[in-house]
Amino acid sequence: MFTSLTEKLQDTFKKLRGKGKLTEKDIDAAIRELRVNLLEADVNFKVVKKLMSNVKERAVGHEVMKSLTPAQQIVKILREELTAMLEQEDAGLNTSSEPPTVILLAGLQGSGKTTTAAKLANHLRSNGHRPMLIGADLTRPGAVDQLSSLASKEDISFFSEGKTPEEVAQKGLKQAKKSSNDLVIVDTSGRLHIDDELMEELSTLREKMGPSETLLVVDAMTGQDAVNIASDFNERIGISGVILTKLDGDARGGAALSVKAATGCPVKFAGVGEKIEDLEPFYPERMVKRILGMGDVLSLIEKAENTIDQEKAKEMEDKLRSQQFTLEDFKDQLHEIKKMGSIQDMLDMLPSGMGGVPSELKNLSVGDDQVVKTEAIINSMTPEERRDPSIINSSRRKRIARGSGTRVQDVNQLLKQFDMMKKMMKKMGGMDKKKAKKKGIKKLPFFQ
Amino acid sequence: MGMVDKLKERLQKSRDGFVKPIKQLFGSRTMDDEFFEELEESLILGDVGAETATRVVEDIKDQVKREKISEPQKVQEMLVDQLTWILEEGNGSCSLPQGSPSVVLIMGVNGSGKTTTAAKLAYRWKHEGSKALLVAGDTFRDAAIEQLSLWADRVGVDLIKQQQGSDPSAVFFDALNAAQSRGVDVVVGDTAGRLHTRTNLMDELQKLYRVTGKVVEGAPHQVLLVVDATTGQNGLAQAEKFHHFVPVSGLVLTKVDGTARGGIALAIKEKLNLPICYLGVGEGVEDLQPFDARSFVEALLG
Ligand SMILES: Nc1nc2c(ncn2[C@@H]2O[C@H](COP(=O)(O)OP(=O)(O)OP(=O)(O)O)[C@@H](O)[C@H]2O)c(=O)[nH]1
Ligand SMILES: Nc1nc2c(ncn2[C@@H]2O[C@H](COP(=O)(O)OP(=O)(O)OP(=O)(O)O)[C@@H](O)[C@H]2O)c(=O)[nH]1
Ligand SMILES: [Mg+2]
Ligand SMILES: [Mg+2]
């Protein structure tokens, strides 16, 4: 789970503060914390080294020494460094002046190429293109079936005829011209970057097809090796951008930095789920927060905004701010929250600067069963109990459990979780509202 | 070619990362702080994780001081011993318990190599003389059923499947009943890839786990978590969460034929004491090896 970097640093500095002014040695202590933090996030070791020396240089110079909150200052410097690394001019896709535009996808086995091909086609179609998917993975069992099934479900043109990937791709391109598709996306077999034969095959395919984009599909869970993978693909095939997949999990995603450092190529999209619509633009700022363990608040907010009923959210926000959130509201919200995936997922996205997620909340799942159970429990309470759970003593708990067909432990757990949640919300509700506004965070209940 | 040699040869392909630095490290030099720092570095580059790497190196450092060791060669041996010990401890749980039939459940995050591993295992057991059966338990991903079905043909074993979108528990229920009536010895069940953070999907997996036990006594007899060797520190969270929902017997570490060192398996073993049972070393049906700690560590260190 994400640990709070700022807090850790604060501890480090607290220990040091008794001694008066911060010295270079003190900063070294902080740097050590940062280093471990970044390594835990899977940022490549060499990249971390470079970053740390940059941060140290800037920190020792002046900024931190004069600062009243050195921990925050150091994190700020690091954030700036990371943001500078990930920032990119324009992450849009290049298209050809002579359509069809060719987009080639490449990557290791299982990184998400085929799924991403379909997502991209769907995305580009909604941007007014007429894409065709070309299945040029002739090696993995079922690979062509997979892409053709994705294509037909979404009613996207599909092609895969020929004996070699090259033949398939070239025939596909011809077919696209004939059927006036202005764009083709070529899915290729997964391959190891050290597999000479397959890398050569891909390189030839690239030369023949002249793609406007050659995109490396990288799993966000990738560890230290991301640097080698990306630089090999770049050297041997030449890539124009990266798509980072499986960002819907809790991987910190340091690979994003590694890949950027190794290739200099922009990250063009982020994969955030298995479904066709689970493709997002890549937001460097959010990625930095995520890598630092500061939570992906902004993504969460966007996700929530898409699912939660805006008015209800507003209502709830007001209640939260005035600390009037009751079990009744909790019940209402469960339905909304369920749409967003588990509470766990949400909590994982919260900034850890808020003191982390209480362990009682970590295992709170919002599966169907859980919602039913929770509803049953709350329904068995009197209105008075719902307004003020503090009056629910042990005999009331027994009654509620009996009434709802659950166990007393279930009632206890719910009350505990509700209590924790309320506390957390209080913490967040108390944060500076103006600041939140300025950042564009306004409509939502749980955050800032 | 022996297994060790084959693995070594595969790992030799790697150019960077774990192998070279460590080997170079143990040339003749003094064992100062820098030496140990570099040792830690190379472990971290192998995805062992900062925490585990620091602990391993601290242990070695203590021992070096205590025993006044001065030859780097000796330190290398100590490192091999220590890593082997970590990986070997309690590794007995990798043998497949007898059941009628024995049921093996394959699970893991998306794209880690589950389906391929299921096929490799069925192949392996078939060649050991058992009657194996594959279960197309991934009813979610497009063409997952076709994929396994092609593998089943290649391997020459039966496959039990239903349509895409059907309830995986129902597929397993059918498959286990079929296995019993067909006199199958070992059932290898594939499941859909899922991220460990998706609680509803993890619940689904747990349900599936329970269902197998209702049909066949003691099932599943083995639960294998498939982890991609390329995975970084998130592998720990994966193992933790999967293990929380469904008790894991051991890991299959796949794609060891790449350049990633698979150090995350070491971290998982250290933290959760889950043994590594098999290594996936390629995309072919024979590219699966039983795990041997010492040769793994030796191959890892060059
Ligand atoms: N959770 C999640 N799963 C994803 C994402 N992208 C792809 N997947 C899943 O990852 C697995 C592998 O995806 P594929 O698209 O088949 O990967 P691939 O790179 O084409 O694989 P090969 O062709 O075998 O090399 C599938 O289970 C996908 O559903 C994502 O952004 N999030
Ligand atoms: N190089 C190499 N590739 C492997 C290995 N094991 C699996 N693969 C490849 O990795 C990709 C994904 O493998 P699958 O078996 O489809 O993975 P999965 O976990 O079933 O994927 P989902 O069901 O989509 O979650 C395929 O291209 C496999 O050929 C291995 O040990 N080495
Ligand atoms: Mg594919
Ligand atoms: Mg599969």
Side-chain angles (χ1 to χ4, degrees):
Chain A
M1 218 44 62
F2 297 146
T3 37
S4 161
L5 179 61
T6 316
E7 253 174 46
K8 260 197 197 161
L9 282 181
Q10 246 142 13
D11 279 352
T12 308
F13 279 111
K14 227 181 269 160
K15 277 183 231 138
L16 299 168
R17 203 172 265 161
K19 298 192 300 185
K21 276 202 167 168
L22 288 172
T23 63
E24 191 174 330
K25 220 169 123 201
D26 301 334
I27 289 162
D28 281 340
I31 296 274
R32 269 197 295 278
E33 290 287 358
L34 292 182
R35 174 183 168 272
V36 172
N37 188 284
L38 289 174
L39 288 172
E40 275 171 4
D42 290 323
V43 182
N44 181 270
F45 189 88
K46 287 165 189 159
V47 178
V48 172
K49 238 180 177 172
K50 180 86 184 39
L51 275 165
M52 291 302 95
S53 90
N54 291 355
V55 170
K56 187 175 171 184
E57 204 172 291
R58 288 180 56 188
V60 172
H62 29 261
E63 286 164 87
V64 174
M65 307 298 222
K66 287 182 200 144
S67 159
L68 286 173
T69 55
Q72 284 158 1
Q73 283 291 320
I74 285 205
V75 173
K76 185 169 168 270
I77 294 175
L78 180 59
R79 257 183 86 172
E80 283 166 8
E81 290 287 325
L82 298 190
T83 310
M85 262 184 85
L86 282 181
E87 245 165 14
Q88 46 201 26
E89 293 268 287
D90 174 26
L93 288 176
N94 293 310
T95 50
S96 168
S97 52
E98 287 170 58
T101 293
V102 177
I103 298 174
L104 191 62
L105 297 186
L108 293 188
Q109 288 92 345
S111 60
K113 297 171 293 299
T114 307
T115 313
T116 304
K119 287 178 183 175
L120 258 185
N122 181 58
H123 167 78
L124 289 166
R125 186 174 52 182
S126 63
N127 283 0
H129 288 282
R130 297 195 59 227
M132 170 186 271
L133 283 164
I134 299 180
D137 176 358
L138 307 180
T139 45
R140 212 210 66 194
V144 172
D145 290 336
Q146 187 185 353
L147 191 64
S148 100
S149 162
L150 287 163
S152 82
K153 262 201 265 180
E154 301 301 325
D155 212 6
I156 296 166
S157 321
F158 173 76
F159 184 91
S160 184
E161 282 165 33
K163 288 195 191 63
T164 63
E166 200 181 305
E167 191 189 335
V168 171
Q170 288 192 320
K171 277 191 177 170
L173 192 57
K174 244 184 232 154
Q175 177 63 38
K177 275 179 200 153
K178 243 188 261 162
S179 48
S180 64
N181 291 101
D182 66 339
L183 192 147
V184 302
I185 299 168
V186 186
D187 179 31
T188 62
S189 308
R191 66 200 74 217
L192 293 175
H193 51 122
I194 47 167
D195 190 324
D196 287 332
E197 204 179 309
L198 290 182
M199 290 301 273
E200 195 52 45
E201 175 201 275
L202 193 57
S203 166
T204 314
L205 183 66
R206 196 204 142 150
E207 271 164 35
K208 293 264 161 71
M209 295 294 287
S212 304
E213 293 280 359
T214 305
L215 303 173
L216 181 67
V217 180
V218 180
D219 187 327
M221 299 182 275
T222 311
Q224 295 289 316
D225 210 31
V227 161
N228 299 330
I229 295 160
S231 59
D232 274 6
F233 267 96
N234 195 31
E235 270 167 35
R236 305 187 63 163
I237 292 149
I239 62 171
S240 58
V242 171
I243 297 183
L244 209 57
T245 62
K246 308 182 200 173
L247 270 168
D248 45 324
D250 61 357
R252 301 261 297 269
L257 279 177
S258 308
V259 166
K260 192 71 195 279
T263 65
C265 290
V267 181
K268 302 232 169 179
F269 290 97
V272 293
E274 294 190 71
K275 299 207 196 72
I276 190 99
E277 67 273 13
D278 294 333
L279 187 74
E280 285 182 351
F282 177 76
Y283 300 108
E285 283 274 348
R286 294 182 197 175
M287 197 65 219
V288 168
K289 282 190 183 172
R290 182 176 177 137
I291 291 171
L292 286 176
M294 296 168 88
D296 198 358
V297 198
L298 294 166
S299 288
L300 173 60
I301 285 165
E302 218 169 55
K303 194 169 176 189
E305 274 178 339
N306 288 336
T307 26
I308 283 197
D309 181 316
Q310 289 300 325
E311 242 162 64
K312 268 200 187 151
K314 173 83 179 66
E315 203 177 290
M316 186 157 105
E317 186 192 3
D318 291 343
K319 277 187 177 154
L320 276 171
R321 291 206 186 280
S322 53
Q323 312 300 325
Q324 282 168 350
F325 187 69
T326 66
L327 274 162
E328 190 76 51
D329 301 316
F330 183 56
K331 197 180 91 181
D332 285 348
Q333 285 308 314
L334 269 181
H335 281 289
E336 300 296 331
I337 289 167
K338 214 184 120 209
K339 283 194 231 156
M340 294 168 54
S342 71
I343 290 189
Q344 169 86 60
D345 290 345
M346 288 173 40
L347 293 176
D348 286 351
M349 285 193 266
L350 287 174
S352 50
M354 291 176 164
V357 178
S359 59
E360 284 83 350
L361 279 177
K362 282 191 176 164
N363 293 324
L364 175 58
S365 61
V366 204
D368 286 324
D369 296 354
Q370 190 76 21
V371 173
V372 171
K373 208 193 248 176
T374 304
E375 267 177 355
I377 294 174
I378 296 177
N379 284 338
S380 297
M381 294 176 185
T382 65
E384 202 190 354
E385 284 166 347
R386 283 178 218 167
R387 264 194 308 277
D388 182 11
S390 68
I391 62 167
I392 306 181
N393 56 22
S394 68
S395 67
R396 282 176 192 250
R397 281 173 205 224
K398 271 185 209 145
R399 194 207 73 235
I400 294 167
R402 234 181 298 121
S404 57
T406 58
R407 295 167 310 166
V408 176
Q409 293 101 287
D410 296 326
V411 179
N412 288 341
Q413 198 195 352
L414 172 67
L415 290 173
K416 200 162 171 192
Q417 283 168 341
F418 176 71
D419 194 47
M420 293 304 306
M421 191 153 203
K422 219 174 148 175
K423 273 194 196 129
M424 268 191 56
M425 288 170 170
K426 192 170 169 185
K427 241 200 236 172
M428 297 173 210
M431 290 187 120
D432 192 343
K433 202 171 177 175
K434 266 191 208 131
K435 232 197 216 152
K437 272 239 167 72
K438 225 165 90 193
K439 284 188 187 155
I441 305 169
K442 36 187 189 292
K443 290 184 222 78
L444 271 155
F446 307 141
F447 330 104
Q448 302 201 345
Chain B
M1 202 188 319
M3 180 220 137
V4 180
D5 291 338
K6 198 170 172 199
L7 181 60
K8 265 193 184 159
E9 187 201 60
R10 297 243 182 214
L11 293 172
Q12 223 79 77
K13 276 200 243 158
S14 353
R15 306 163 319 153
D16 222 345
F18 208 36
V19 179
K20 267 198 193 156
I22 289 212
K23 232 184 164 179
Q24 284 164 4
L25 200 57
F26 292 112
S28 60
R29 55 176 291 184
T30 46
M31 271 166 296
D32 46 10
D33 280 350
E34 202 184 313
F35 172 85
F36 288 107
E37 238 165 64
E38 281 175 36
L39 189 57
E40 188 186 311
E41 254 178 58
S42 17
L43 287 170
I44 289 172
L45 275 171
D47 288 319
V48 164
E51 203 187 315
T52 307
T54 307
R55 192 157 50 237
V56 168
V57 171
E58 284 304 315
D59 283 357
I60 299 265
K61 211 169 163 178
D62 284 351
Q63 204 180 336
V64 166
K65 276 205 187 117
R66 226 178 22 245
E67 298 172 16
K68 303 200 171 55
I69 294 160
S70 56
E71 317 89 77
Q73 207 50 45
K74 190 82 197 299
V75 181
Q76 182 175 20
E77 281 165 36
M78 280 165 47
L79 181 66
V80 170
D81 283 348
Q82 166 140 4
L83 297 182
T84 305
W85 181 78
I86 292 177
L87 287 168
E88 242 168 21
E89 204 203 355
N91 221 351
S93 31
C94 284
S95 61
L96 178 60
Q98 183 74 44
S100 56
S102 299
V103 179
V104 182
L105 195 63
I106 311 284
M107 59 186 196
V109 296
N110 306 86
S112 58
K114 295 173 293 300
T115 305
T116 313
T117 299
K120 290 173 179 177
L121 282 169
Y123 174 84
R124 181 182 178 82
W125 281 316
K126 185 189 166 189
H127 278 256
E128 284 177 5
S130 302
K131 183 166 179 181
L133 177 104
L134 282 164
V135 187
D138 180 356
T139 57
F140 178 75
R141 211 207 66 203
D142 287 86
I145 299 167
E146 284 84 346
Q147 185 186 358
L148 193 63
S149 167
L150 286 163
W151 274 120
D153 289 345
R154 254 188 231 181
V155 174
V157 297
D158 284 353
L159 170 83
I160 299 292
K161 60 177 183 186
Q162 289 181 14
Q163 271 154 353
Q164 187 175 357
S166 50
D167 178 2
S169 290
V171 180
F172 269 82
F173 187 85
D174 277 3
L176 295 186
N177 279 314
Q180 280 177 328
S181 65
R182 293 182 198 179
V184 164
D185 301 309
V186 51
V187 175
V188 186
D190 188 21
T191 62
R194 68 199 76 220
L195 293 183
H196 51 286
T197 47
R198 294 288 303 276
T199 313
N200 53 343
L201 296 182
M202 296 307 281
D203 284 341
E204 177 196 88
L205 193 66
Q206 197 173 53
K207 180 177 158 206
L208 203 152
Y209 169 79
R210 278 198 231 105
V211 163
T212 62
K214 281 185 187 142
V215 188
V216 177
E217 205 193 311
H221 304 86
Q222 189 170 55
V223 178
L224 295 173
L225 178 68
V226 179
V227 177
D228 184 332
T230 322
T231 314
Q233 298 311 297
N234 192 248
L236 251 184
Q238 288 173 25
E240 240 155 7
K241 281 284 173 63
F242 272 96
H243 195 41
H244 171 81
F245 282 88
V246 174
V248 174
S249 337
L251 308 185
V252 180
L253 191 65
T254 60
K255 311 181 196 173
V256 178
D257 46 325
T259 53
R261 314 278 90 240
I264 189 60
L266 193 86
I268 294 173
K269 181 65 176 42
E270 241 239 323
K271 262 255 164 75
L272 303 170
N273 201 26
L274 297 178
I276 311 165
C277 292
Y278 298 96
L279 300 179
V281 295
E283 298 186 78
V285 78
E286 290 183 355
D287 294 329
L288 185 79
Q289 302 180 347
F291 180 74
D292 176 72
R294 183 160 293 269
S295 45
F296 181 74
V297 171
E298 276 173 2
L300 212 61
L301 301 179

